[in-house]
Amino acid sequence: MDWDAWHDEYDTPGTRLARRLVVVREQLTIALDSAPPGPIEILSMCAGQGRDVIGVLPEHPRRADVTALLVELDPRNVTKAKEAAADAGLDNVEIREGDAGSTDNYVDLAPAQIVLACGIFGNVLPETADKAIGFFPGLCKPGADLIWTGGRVGLFELVRSSLAKNEFEQQFVSDPRETQFGVGRHTYRGEAQPLGRGTTMFTFDKPH
Ligand SMILES: C[S@@+](CC[C@H](N)C(=O)[O-])C[C@H]1O[C@@H](n2cnc3c(N)ncnc32)[C@H](O)[C@@H]1O
């Protein structure tokens, strides 16, 4: 997969990814609107070009409260995300080139108030998705919002049931009549969990 070219679809209005981005940005706005007073940490795993976070923060009234960490492996996407953040004057957004599956990349910022897992579940096997979600409590503050995407078929129900098993309460799932993508927002209702170093939460192991 060419993960730089994958983003081109965002630039054509009405496409699957352009429609999905609208929903993800809406959910991120709601998560920011409802965050408690004080600092807001945002973690984005497999952040790509950061079109969700960098698309929402510049106009959001809580912008100054945010410290964001976007983790992305493809250096071309890292460069584009850094350019977009700089153009928007977002000096509180770090784009880190690295393995988003490794807990090592989050220990300096976690637990976060908002976690994004967008574009991950379509690229992993079911057992990997279930295992990865088991680590998400360590990324999240109690009360944190997790925003995620997944195809409306396939892993969608597995992700929902795995999130429920790990004490994430569903706040939103996208309209089932939109069959080309799914978006969810869940709130972590469990206790604070430690996030250890040196753990691989997931790798993109689904054959394309
Ligand atoms: C489907 S795209 C989603 C990008 C972004 N989250 C979005 O929704 O627009 C998946 C992204 O994950 C990145 N990626 C794949 N494996 C990764 C890994 N182990 N660590 C960090 N990023 C990874 C790819 O380079 C790609 O940009």
Side-chain angles (χ1 to χ4, degrees):
M1 180 68 80
D2 179 338
W3 289 119
D4 177 24
W6 179 88
H7 291 73
D8 292 348
E9 191 187 325
Y10 277 128
D11 297 325
T12 306
T15 57
R16 180 187 76 94
L17 277 189
R19 298 198 308 278
R20 191 183 89 171
L21 184 59
V22 170
V23 181
V24 170
R25 284 178 173 174
E26 283 170 357
Q27 293 307 309
L28 178 55
T29 301
I30 292 168
L32 283 163
D33 290 345
S34 54
I40 302 173
E41 311 80 9
I42 300 180
L43 295 177
S44 177
M45 299 181 265
C46 296
Q49 296 173 0
R51 295 192 186 215
D52 34 33
V53 174
I54 299 167
V56 166
L57 276 189
E59 304 301 326
H60 198 279
R62 300 294 305 273
R63 163 186 177 154
D65 294 329
V66 168
T67 302
L69 172 63
L70 280 53
V71 183
E72 164 63 29
L73 202 54
D74 188 317
R76 299 167 299 173
N77 291 333
V78 170
T79 298
K80 287 183 180 174
K82 283 184 176 171
E83 286 170 356
D87 287 350
L90 293 172
D91 51 11
N92 49 348
V93 176
E94 178 190 351
I95 294 99
R96 183 175 296 174
E97 185 178 330
D99 179 6
S102 167
T103 56
D104 290 355
N105 273 313
Y106 306 103
V107 282
D108 50 340
L109 195 66
Q113 178 61 36
I114 300 174
V115 175
L116 288 95
C118 298
I120 295 176
F121 297 127
N123 296 296
V124 301
L125 295 169
E127 56 271 29
T128 304
D130 187 52
K131 181 187 130 196
I133 290 166
F135 293 107
F136 288 3
L139 299 174
C140 293
K141 284 179 169 171
D145 271 339
L146 170 76
I147 299 163
W148 58 277
T149 69
R152 253 289 171 186
V153 289
L155 287 189
F156 197 75
E157 294 309 324
L158 179 144
V159 169
R160 290 173 73 192
S161 97
S162 186
L163 286 170
K165 189 173 73 184
N166 286 284
E167 299 186 86
F168 286 86
E169 179 190 3
Q170 182 174 301
Q171 305 292 348
F172 168 85
V173 285
S174 52
D175 188 339
R177 290 169 299 181
E178 171 58 88
T179 53
Q180 291 189 295
F181 64 82
V183 178
R185 182 169 57 85
H186 282 62
T187 300
Y188 180 55
R189 295 298 185 202
E191 306 270 314
Q193 301 284 335
L195 182 72
R197 283 188 180 273
T199 300
T200 299
M201 299 184 287
F202 61 85
T203 53
F204 279 18
D205 53 8
K206 183 174 147 192
H208 282 284

